[in-house]
Amino acid sequence: MRLVLIGPPGAGKGTQAAILSQTLGVPHISTGDLFREHVTRRTPLGRDAQRYLDTGELVPDHVTGGMVRERLTQPDTRHGFLLDGFPRTVPQARQLAAILDAAECELDAVLEFTAPEEVVVTRLLERGRPDDTEDVIRHRQRVYERQTTPLLDHYSDILLSVQAVGPVDEIAQRALKGLARPI
Ligand code: AMP
């Protein structure tokens, strides 16, 4: 199964992605995690990406798209994947479409996790990652609204919205039930 997960920072995408990846048997690919690995390993890409991560801005599409293209050529993605945090812009969705076209495959569904802003901001403040200061968190919410929510229209044909408030297992069950039904 080929899935994309969308949702505001703090909606619990990463947690859900880990559960769904295990249940569905497909790799979890988080662009945020890939960037953080590059930063830790001090690769040239990590050095380019760091300032964007620090401020909550999006890393430029050509950098992000190249990194995803490279990851999606690895053999573990042949039978499916779960993309967490990519695409985040309409141009990135076009990059993904080109990658999938070349591989003669397509997305099965886009899962949108929804949660009110105050809930997600509180969750992120509790998580305490280095880029989880209140200013950066609020900025990431604005970036999400401006740059990522247009994807909801873009993917309206295969979009499945899941309420991301409540116990983690219940949210995962909602997502899995939704995926079991034809979209
Ligand atoms: P996340 O772990 O998804 O919260 O992402 C952390 C940070 O990584 C974001 O604030 C961006 O700076 C960067 N990032 C992650 N995914 C993308 C993407 N698809 N496009 C651009 N920047 C991204």
Side-chain angles (χ1 to χ4, degrees):
M1 198 168 231
R2 295 179 180 86
L3 298 177
V4 162
L5 266 51
I6 295 183
K13 281 194 310 297
T15 306
Q16 292 301 321
I19 299 175
L20 295 176
S21 145
Q22 185 100 43
T23 312
L24 301 169
V26 293
H28 169 201
I29 301 173
S30 153
T31 42
D33 285 349
L34 291 175
F35 282 130
R36 283 184 287 276
E37 276 170 36
H38 276 282
V39 169
T40 306
R41 288 178 12 231
R42 298 174 197 275
T43 66
L45 193 151
R47 276 196 292 274
D48 283 351
Q50 172 120 49
R51 63 194 163 110
Y52 299 100
L53 269 73
D54 287 346
T55 54
E57 290 294 330
L58 295 186
V59 178
D61 286 342
H62 68 277
V63 177
T64 310
M67 183 177 75
V68 171
R69 182 184 302 276
E70 206 266 330
R71 179 65 186 88
L72 290 181
T73 59
Q74 290 172 25
D76 63 327
T77 63
R78 199 170 305 143
H79 302 296
F81 52 76
L82 209 153
L83 278 173
D84 163 14
F86 182 92
R88 252 173 157 102
T89 64
V90 172
Q92 287 183 7
R94 298 211 178 93
Q95 288 176 328
L96 178 61
I99 296 171
L100 295 178
D101 275 354
E104 296 185 6
C105 56
E106 54 186 26
L107 289 177
D108 293 291
V110 173
L111 282 177
E112 176 203 11
F113 290 98
T114 63
E117 175 156 341
E118 285 320 306
V119 173
V120 299
V121 171
T122 306
R123 274 189 200 160
L124 291 176
L125 284 170
E126 285 165 2
R127 180 174 73 175
R129 216 168 65 188
D131 58 342
D132 285 340
T133 62
E134 181 146 6
D135 280 355
V136 174
I137 289 171
R138 298 259 178 219
H139 185 65
R140 292 211 307 266
Q141 302 298 325
R142 300 286 85 75
V143 169
Y144 175 77
E145 278 160 24
R146 229 181 14 248
Q147 311 217 54
T148 306
T149 56
L151 286 179
L152 303 175
D153 267 348
H154 184 87
Y155 285 129
S156 59
D157 290 355
I158 52 168
L159 187 72
L160 199 72
S161 288
V162 178
Q163 257 215 43
V165 183
V168 165
D169 289 348
E170 277 176 27
I171 299 168
Q173 285 313 315
R174 265 177 232 149
L176 288 166
K177 264 196 204 139
L179 287 173
R181 281 194 295 267
I183 297 181

